[in-house]
Amino acid sequence: MPEPFGLLAELTYRCPLACSYCSNPLELAAYDDELTTAQWQRVFTEAAELGVLQCHLSGGEPLLRRDLVDLVRTAAGLGMYTNLVTSAIGLSRSRAEGLRDAGLDHVQVSVQADEPATADRIAGIPAFERKLRAAAVVKELGWPLTVNVVLHRQNVDRVAEIIALVEDLDADRVELANTQYYGWAWRNRAALLPSREQLAGAEEVVRAARARLAGRMEIVHVLPDYYAEYPKPCMGGWAARQLTVAPNGDALPCPAAQTLPLPRASVRDQSLRAIWEDSPLFTAYRGTGWMRDPCRSCDRRETDFGGCRCQAFQLTGDAARTDPVCHLSPDHALVTDAVEAANAPAGRDEVLVPRPHRG
Amino acid sequence: MPGDGRPRLTRHVRMRFDATRERHVLLGPESVIVLNPTGADILGLCDGRRTVSEVATELQARYDRVVDDEVAAFLDRLVTRRCVEIDDA
Ligand code: SF4
Ligand code: SF4
């Protein structure tokens, strides 16, 4: 049995922003009944006992949890490396100091674009200036700063300006991650999927920036898997290295797994260990035994694990099929059709559907 | 890898012993590195005061074999992954 390294604690799906690329589930109201402080603390303790070493506090916007400082203190006290994944809305200096004193190790701030008009249009509310101030607070308090930018059709042409902004913020690390099509991003896929030409342009900019900033700022660039030949490895394998707990206590092998037609596993009913070791949601696609061809006989099966189960389910209705992103998948046309539409010469004017913000 | 540089962990990573895996681990924002005992010994000596050569000499005494190349290669890999930084003399 593998031992998990990381816990993604999605503390709440409430969020002051309304990003149309959000991968939170569409049925946000189903998660309003959030775990209590004591329940989360129990989850952290059980996670540490399972071998978890890293705790990502995420959401939604985790700063909307009033007990965030207590939760950080518990996770840090268990020896876990604690990482706050935040829009930074609500990260005042005093709040930040409280988190630092509780032992928070690292802060990752999301930024939507390099200038207010685009950024605020993507985020659904005017948030840009507040984010910049919060990022400065992160640096002032001596934390390493990672800036995360989700790239898509609407902002990828400005990647040079985005990198310049991140440089101004004196970030240690920037993640330029193309959208993953789950939740709200799935609904908005046509408006978010970039064209081949856009991607080539961005790649060139990133290559030059990497050379220029070597040793000063690390640039992680995650390309959209729709344009790749092979799928992305599923988080080091299904239920192999990571687990997620959703705001309502549902335990998941990955944050997109809510959609799969398997019985729910909740930390309200069972220990994390029982879920990790025995629940069908976790055991169904662990290892390679579940695979069919072409994955079963493919020599990349231990490299990419057949790709993403959630994407396979989303695109084909069957989570045990090969990820259609793979060019060997019999369903690959589902991906190439979407790519073709994104590159149609007529150009499209798709409208972004914001996820509703819930505060 | 200059022998007179002084290696230390970068400030965003932390080393600790993990009882589950019975290994030292290096924890950072996006990575967990499970260390073998030699790696843990090397990093245990990287305090920003000892030089790379001094780290190697101390380990050599401990293990009773030459470890210069091993130490340099190991630190080099961690510098690339931004877990270790070297202060020049
Ligand atoms: S709406 Fe935006 S900031 Fe909020 S959780 Fe979704 S992606 Fe993150
Ligand atoms: S066939 Fe399956 S295992 Fe092989 S590359 Fe494609 S997704 Fe990966």
Side-chain angles (χ1 to χ4, degrees):
Chain A
M1 182 68 58
E3 289 140 358
F5 285 93
L7 168 70
L8 176 67
E10 296 188 317
L11 298 178
T12 179
Y13 286 149
R14 289 173 287 139
C15 187
L17 303 196
C19 306
S20 38
Y21 63 73
C22 186
S23 58
N24 283 174
L26 296 174
E27 310 76 25
L28 289 167
Y31 298 87
D32 282 350
D33 185 13
E34 295 176 3
L35 294 183
T36 63
T37 309
Q39 283 170 322
W40 274 118
Q41 287 168 327
R42 198 198 82 214
V43 168
F44 291 172
T45 307
E46 291 180 359
E49 283 165 10
L50 256 186
V52 168
L53 298 166
Q54 253 177 336
C55 181
H56 303 280
L57 302 147
S58 174
E61 176 46 67
L63 287 165
L64 288 176
R65 287 282 304 211
R66 295 222 181 88
D67 54 0
L68 185 61
V69 166
D70 293 325
L71 296 179
V72 166
R73 191 177 294 115
T74 301
L78 290 161
M80 293 196 269
Y81 190 97
T82 50
N83 177 26
L84 180 67
V85 182
T86 178
S87 73
I89 301 301
L91 189 64
S92 63
R93 188 168 179 115
S94 63
R95 194 93 199 275
E97 281 168 353
L99 291 166
R100 189 194 50 188
D101 296 345
L104 183 66
D105 288 300
H106 182 261
V107 183
Q108 176 183 320
V109 174
S110 66
V111 167
Q112 279 67 24
D114 62 290
E115 46 85 32
T118 316
D120 295 348
R121 183 167 57 84
I122 296 167
I125 63 155
F128 185 70
E129 299 293 343
R130 279 184 280 171
K131 278 171 180 287
L132 301 196
R133 278 201 298 280
V137 167
V138 170
K139 290 298 289 191
E140 277 160 37
L141 295 191
W143 272 307
L145 171 66
T146 296
V147 172
N148 178 280
V149 188
V150 175
L151 293 181
H152 45 76
R153 198 176 180 86
Q154 318 274 334
N155 67 359
V156 69
D157 296 327
R158 300 192 57 89
V159 75
E161 292 85 352
I162 290 172
I163 292 172
L165 170 78
V166 177
E167 251 184 281
D168 278 350
L169 294 175
D170 196 19
D172 300 86
R173 192 161 176 278
V174 57
E175 288 177 2
L176 304 165
N178 269 275
T179 311
Q180 311 252 15
Y181 298 105
Y182 306 113
W184 293 87
W186 168 249
R187 165 172 287 194
N188 285 307
R189 187 180 68 175
L192 293 173
L193 189 61
S195 72
R196 203 168 274 118
E197 200 183 330
Q198 286 183 301
L199 287 173
E203 241 186 301
E204 211 176 293
V205 170
V206 170
R207 203 174 307 122
R210 270 208 186 114
R212 185 166 56 81
L213 297 167
R216 261 200 295 153
M217 187 170 90
E218 183 186 3
I219 305 181
V220 182
H221 188 202
V222 184
L223 295 167
D225 56 356
Y226 272 51
Y227 280 93
E229 200 175 343
Y230 295 109
K232 292 203 194 331
C234 159
M235 314 183 73
W238 185 263
R241 295 178 62 92
Q242 311 274 342
L243 75 165
T244 297
V245 175
N248 65 347
D250 283 359
L252 305 159
C254 87
Q258 280 113 341
T259 50
L260 298 191
L262 287 164
R264 290 178 47 208
S266 172
V267 299
R268 293 177 197 263
D269 311 326
Q270 277 175 290
S271 74
L272 216 49
R273 179 175 296 279
I275 293 173
W276 177 259
E277 291 179 351
D278 295 321
S279 75
L281 190 53
F282 283 73
T283 57
Y285 307 112
R286 189 175 267 148
T288 53
W290 55 272
M291 286 180 180
R292 306 180 207 136
D293 279 327
C295 294
R296 182 170 45 190
S297 51
C298 177
D299 56 13
R300 284 180 55 89
R301 66 185 180 279
E302 304 273 1
T303 309
D304 62 32
F305 311 98
C308 173
R309 295 306 88 224
C310 303
Q311 185 148 272
F313 177 70
Q314 191 147 51
L315 289 167
T316 73
D318 179 356
R321 288 182 77 78
T322 296
D323 185 337
V325 156
C326 181
H327 72 292
L328 301 171
S329 154
D331 308 306
H332 189 48
L334 294 170
V335 168
T336 49
D337 287 352
V339 165
E340 232 165 82
N343 288 284
R348 294 159 319 170
D349 218 0
E350 301 281 348
V351 180
L352 289 171
V353 184
R355 69 157 263 186
H357 45 82
R358 306 171 69 86
Chain B
M1 174 77 32
D4 57 353
R6 300 172 198 278
R8 59 155 183 243
L9 293 181
T10 50
R11 74 195 156 93
H12 59 273
V13 302
R14 199 140 57 68
M15 182 166 74
R16 60 166 268 220
F17 185 73
D18 173 27
T20 307
R21 297 169 183 84
E22 299 182 328
R23 287 270 196 250
H24 277 85
V25 288
L26 207 51
L27 305 179
E30 291 308 320
S31 65
V32 174
I33 300 173
V34 180
L35 297 166
N36 62 25
T38 315
D41 282 350
I42 295 173
L43 290 181
L45 295 170
C46 294
D47 54 5
R49 289 195 300 272
R50 290 184 179 84
T51 64
V52 174
S53 316
E54 284 163 356
V55 170
T57 311
E58 276 198 44
L59 278 189
Q60 195 159 319
R62 217 184 278 181
Y63 296 163
D64 208 16
R65 65 185 165 85
V66 180
V67 293
D68 291 34
D69 291 349
E70 220 177 304
V71 169
F74 175 77
L75 290 177
D76 224 24
R77 277 201 303 280
L78 290 182
V79 167
T80 312
R81 299 182 69 171
R82 295 165 52 92
C83 295
V84 166
E85 57 196 8
I86 313 271
D87 275 353
D88 296 327

